[in-house]
Amino acid sequence: MTRRNLVLCALVATLACAPAVHAQQQSQAQKSSTAKPAAKTTKPKPKSETAKPAAKSEAPAAGSAPNLLAQFGEWGAYTATAGGKKVCFALAKPSKAATTPPNRPRDPPYMFISSRPAEKVKDEVSVIIGYGLKPNTDASIDVGGSSYPMFTQNDGAWIKNPADEARLVGALRKGSDAVVKGTSARGTSSTDTYPLRGLAQALDRAGQECQ
């Protein structure tokens, strides 16, 4: 649990800049300057189930905006510095995001698979679900016909059994899509579908930066 808490602290701050970086990669032909200002102006906070303020209060002060290395299908390969340490990760948004009851406001969800050489961590699967998750309740990720329970804290989720992580990453590399399900502290359930096209290449490219 301690290791996962460190991931939450280090990467939530990094992900705060990710929407702007994602916008930047869509218009990469234009030589716009940094996307960091956009991250601050395009991040409205719905008064619903977001848990990002609580997560950010734990995050280290030092961090850099993600740098897009390359885009492969739905997945981008990025590097960043969080807490003074280098982080490399593949990041994507879901192609479908549904809630029950429908249309409940929340922050944008993301899945990312990160490597942190300074901590000897490679290909750790994390999900930002976009709302405060129900305490003491697992989320899940389904891929390739198998379901993996996920430990949750605030609006983040991580593979519950670390021994399953390599098998999960292998399934994600080969699969067509992954479905993440969670339940908010207010009882809202969500189902997010992530296309996996380009993930293997994004992981390989990110891995070159964090060997």
Side-chain angles (χ1 to χ4, degrees):
M1 188 179 299
T2 301
R3 180 171 65 90
R4 292 187 173 95
N5 290 345
L6 288 173
V7 178
L8 178 70
C9 294
L11 286 180
V12 167
T14 300
L15 272 171
C17 303
V21 178
H22 239 58
Q24 181 184 352
Q25 56 95 7
Q26 299 283 18
S27 58
Q28 210 157 0
Q30 304 172 347
K31 293 181 183 175
S32 53
S33 52
T34 177
K36 205 181 289 183
K40 292 181 180 175
T41 57
T42 58
K43 217 171 165 258
K45 290 283 184 187
K47 288 184 180 134
S48 57
E49 310 178 78
T50 174
K52 281 211 176 144
K56 279 194 168 187
S57 66
E58 303 175 26
S64 68
N67 173 45
L68 178 66
L69 300 169
Q71 185 73 23
F72 301 94
E74 309 298 328
W75 289 81
Y78 296 86
T79 61
T81 301
K85 297 175 181 178
K86 188 173 185 179
V87 183
C88 303
F89 57 97
L91 170 76
K93 297 186 290 186
S95 59
K96 298 178 187 175
T99 62
T100 305
N103 303 318
R104 298 300 285 269
R106 59 170 169 154
D107 285 341
Y110 295 95
M111 182 188 298
F112 53 105
I113 303 175
S114 61
S115 293
R116 303 185 304 285
E119 298 171 42
K120 302 190 185 315
V121 172
K122 180 175 174 57
D123 290 348
E124 184 173 72
V125 180
S126 308
V127 178
I128 294 292
I129 292 189
Y131 54 69
L133 288 150
K134 188 175 181 178
N136 304 315
T137 301
D138 292 345
S140 67
I141 179 168
D142 299 339
V143 59
S146 297
S147 182
Y148 302 81
M150 302 190 83
F151 161 80
T152 64
Q153 182 179 335
N154 295 325
D155 65 346
W158 302 265
I159 189 76
K160 189 170 185 177
N161 182 3
D164 289 340
E165 194 143 49
R167 185 162 63 93
L168 171 59
V169 172
L172 291 169
R173 279 177 169 271
K174 297 174 184 175
S176 58
D177 56 52
V179 178
V180 175
K181 297 180 180 180
T183 302
S184 80
R186 298 185 179 185
T188 299
S189 62
S190 63
T191 302
D192 300 327
T193 302
Y194 289 85
L196 300 176
R197 182 173 64 93
L199 171 60
Q201 295 94 324
L203 282 177
D204 290 343
R205 180 64 185 89
Q208 292 173 12
E209 299 295 318
C210 282
Q211 295 183 359

